Amino acid sequence: VFSGSAVVDKDNTAGFGKGALVALYTSARERQTQSMAYSTDNGKTWKKYANNPILTADIPDFRDPKVIWNEERNEWILVLAAGQEMRFYTSKNLKEWKFESAFGKEYGNHGGVWECPDLMKMKVEGTDKEKWMLICNINPGGPFGGSATQYFVGEFDGHKFTCEDEPSETKWMDYGKDRYATVTFSNTPDGRNLAIAWMS
């Protein structure tokens, strides 16, 4: 089992029960595929979905699904790392996913493997505007060697991410040598997005 993410399925879209915890993760064997597990006892025990995998691809690096709920479109969004780009998918039930678009081939830093994406909507400080931020972790290729986390700011219409920066621009979340695999927690009581990263 490689990296992934988990959500609370409060409306029972997947059919495992209202409020079930659903985790999507990468199964790493000869090929990397995306699988699902669920818990109906608040995370004490988990069951793997009987019809895994739920997503496959014909490339070797295909991993780290991040799932969020899109309130505007009333559906789930999944973003994952596929080679040197991020791919976006949508679903109504967390089981059946439709490919929407890809981003990143000509954007940002490509000095290492792209991994552990994250996608979130954030308020622009001091305004009433909101923008989307896409996180991309790379290893190696950081500004001081080693691993690092870059990010892109722009718009996401439920299908496609459009970056507002020039393709050659790289925005680093941190300039330390050991920041990696940054992921976020959403729906906190005060509305913040909390990011936690690995150290080497």
Side-chain angles (χ1 to χ4, degrees), residues 35-91:
S35 298
M36 179 167 57
Y38 62 96
S39 172
T40 57
D41 57 7
N42 293 320
K44 293 177 185 175
T45 60
W46 293 81
K47 295 180 182 178
K48 290 184 177 179
Y49 177 49
N51 293 326
N52 282 335
I54 57 172
L55 263 180
T56 61
D58 56 359
I59 57 176
D61 294 317
F62 183 69
R63 55 181 173 267
D64 310 329
K66 175 61 187 268
V67 180
I68 63 172
W69 178 252
N70 187 337
E71 291 186 3
E72 289 86 0
R73 301 185 59 84
N74 203 38
E75 63 186 2
W76 298 100
I77 301 168
L78 182 151
V79 55
L80 53 71
Q84 288 282 306
E85 66 182 16
M86 300 303 185
R87 293 184 183 175
F88 299 89
Y89 299 80
T90 56
S91 174

Side-chain angles (χ1 to χ4, degrees), residues 112-179:
V113 175
W114 279 31
E115 294 184 306
C116 300
D118 209 317
L119 179 69
M120 72 208 74
K121 184 188 284 188
M122 298 184 69
K123 289 190 176 182
V124 179
E125 190 173 18
T127 75
D128 57 357
K129 295 181 180 179
E130 291 182 316
K131 291 189 178 182
W132 287 84
M133 184 169 79
L134 175 65
I135 290 175
C136 170
N137 292 273
I138 63 169
N139 183 30
F144 289 99
S147 53
T149 302
Q150 62 180 325
Y151 67 95
F152 306 92
V153 177
E155 301 297 330
F156 183 73
D157 63 2
H159 304 282
K160 180 181 179 181
F161 178 81
T162 303
C163 185
E164 66 181 28
D165 302 311
E166 293 297 321
S168 60
E169 183 176 354
T170 300
K171 291 184 172 179
W172 297 109
M173 186 171 284
D174 185 280
Y175 283 86
K177 190 175 182 179
D178 297 322
R179 185 185 185 99

Side-chain angles (χ1 to χ4, degrees), residues 7-13 17-21 69 71 76 187:
V7 295
V8 178
D9 188 12
K10 62 183 181 64
D11 295 323
N12 193 25
T13 63
K18 195 170 182 178
L21 302 181
W69 178 252
E71 291 186 3
W76 298 100
N187 295 321

